[in-house]
Amino acid sequence: GPPHSTHLIASKLKKKHKLKWLADFRDPWTNIWYNKKFYFTKSTLNKHKKLEKSVLNEADHIIVTSNRLNVEYSKLTNKPVSTITNGFDHINDDDFKLDKKFTISHIGSMLSDRNPEILWKVLNNLIKEEKILKNYLKLNLVGNVSFEVKESIKKYSLEPYVEYIGHIAYDQTS
């Protein structure tokens, strides 16, 4: 989840077919950052919390992507909670070659609400102050980048340093 409808369907399938159920939470349910934008009524938020707790207690095992979420969900259930972080497999340092660039990479969606405008401003100022930086700066944006973020990058004259890589399937990462 999300979408959490998949957890509710899984709950019904577990009951109907007596299946084992691993509930995988890529993100938190009620404590996810964008829920604040929905302006839930108190009763709606309580319903979400009740459903979240029922999923956590009905599943046989919970999987989360962060230690913080592990702690949070462990307080809501006696079911085992395991952490499997998002990321990549460890690479042997001997197999990894550094280039001569000063590279900043962001992997994941960079949506309008996550626009690091202060970073773009600082990088713009650094390029003006430290002229040599323009020879070394490289920004890799891997994943979906919103139009507003791209406009912000343009506003701070960072387009020459940015490579928009887009979504990369896991099987293409090795």
Side-chain angles (χ1 to χ4, degrees):
H4 303 296
S5 55
T6 57
H7 291 306
L8 301 177
I9 292 167
S11 173
K12 293 201 184 294
L13 289 172
K14 175 189 167 86
K15 290 172 189 165
K16 183 176 181 177
H17 299 287
K18 298 181 179 15
L19 299 169
K20 293 281 185 187
W21 175 21
L22 303 177
D24 187 353
F25 285 86
R26 302 286 85 205
D27 292 302
W29 184 331
T30 56
N31 280 343
I32 194 156
W33 63 273
Y34 57 71
N35 272 354
K36 293 177 186 121
K37 293 183 161 271
F38 292 135
Y39 303 107
F40 289 139
T41 63
K42 189 173 184 174
S43 63
T44 301
L45 183 58
N46 285 338
K47 182 170 183 171
H48 275 278
K49 287 184 178 200
K50 182 179 174 187
L51 288 169
E52 177 181 43
K53 192 168 184 172
S54 73
V55 164
L56 293 171
N57 286 304
E58 291 173 22
D60 295 290
H61 197 107
I62 313 298
I63 300 169
V64 296
T65 58
S66 71
N67 292 328
R68 182 197 57 78
L69 192 55
N70 188 312
V71 169
E72 181 181 331
Y73 278 178
S74 292
K75 291 176 185 174
L76 298 175
T77 185
N78 290 325
K79 301 293 175 125
V81 181
S82 298
T83 303
I84 302 175
T85 59
N86 289 329
F88 56 90
D89 297 332
H90 176 72
I91 300 170
N92 183 336
D93 290 342
D94 296 337
D95 297 336
F96 190 71
K97 303 269 190 260
L98 291 176
D99 60 18
K100 302 291 184 201
K101 297 282 188 182
F102 176 72
T103 304
I104 299 172
S105 298
H106 179 274
I107 296 98
S109 295
M110 189 174 282
L111 307 175
S112 303
D113 289 347
R114 297 179 181 178
N115 185 7
E117 191 157 355
I118 193 135
L119 175 62
W120 311 142
K121 184 177 181 179
V122 167
L123 290 173
N124 176 274
N125 289 337
L126 280 171
I127 289 168
K128 290 175 185 171
E129 292 171 16
E130 301 294 332
K131 305 265 186 235
I132 195 164
L133 182 59
K134 66 174 72 175
N135 298 324
Y136 296 97
L137 181 61
K138 182 177 179 187
L139 302 168
N140 291 325
L141 301 180
V142 181
N144 297 324
V145 179
S146 75
F147 173 78
E148 292 82 4
V149 171
K150 289 178 179 178
E151 286 298 303
S152 184
I153 288 167
K154 188 177 187 178
K155 172 181 168 183
Y156 291 102
S157 306
L158 295 173
E159 287 177 302
Y161 311 101
V162 178
E163 183 176 358
Y164 296 105
I165 298 170
H167 177 77
I168 298 177
Y170 184 78
D171 62 353
Q172 294 175 322
T173 59
S174 54

